[in-house]
Amino acid sequence: MNLPNNQTGQALPADSIDPRLLSLAMAFVPVQHFETTYEPTLAFDRGTIFPSLDKPFLGEEAVPR
């Protein structure tokens, strides 16, 4: 069964989920306890003052070949 999409006037595929039924977003933010911080120059280089939040982006390094 195809459902009309009110924004475009086009029908949604039968196996799709009606976007009007979905939430815009859901967030999960764990509690963070204060800890020893980086020195200001290192914090600036790393992009955070907290070592536990220092999660460098690995990009292609993380993808096995």
Side-chain angles (χ1 to χ4, degrees):
M1 163 203 239
N2 290 346
L3 301 173
N5 181 340
N6 292 337
Q7 293 178 349
T8 64
Q10 297 176 349
L12 296 172
D15 61 345
S16 70
I17 296 173
D18 187 346
R20 296 170 293 185
L21 302 176
L22 300 175
S23 298
L24 178 59
M26 295 178 69
F28 172 75
V29 181
V31 175
Q32 179 186 350
H33 300 284
F34 195 83
E35 60 182 283
T36 304
T37 59
Y38 284 145
E39 293 296 321
T41 53
L42 179 58
F44 185 75
D45 288 340
R46 302 303 298 172
T48 180
I49 63 171
F50 299 107
S52 63
L53 295 179
D54 189 356
K55 309 289 186 195
F57 178 72
L58 300 176
E60 291 183 9
E61 297 173 21
V63 179
R65 293 180 186 223

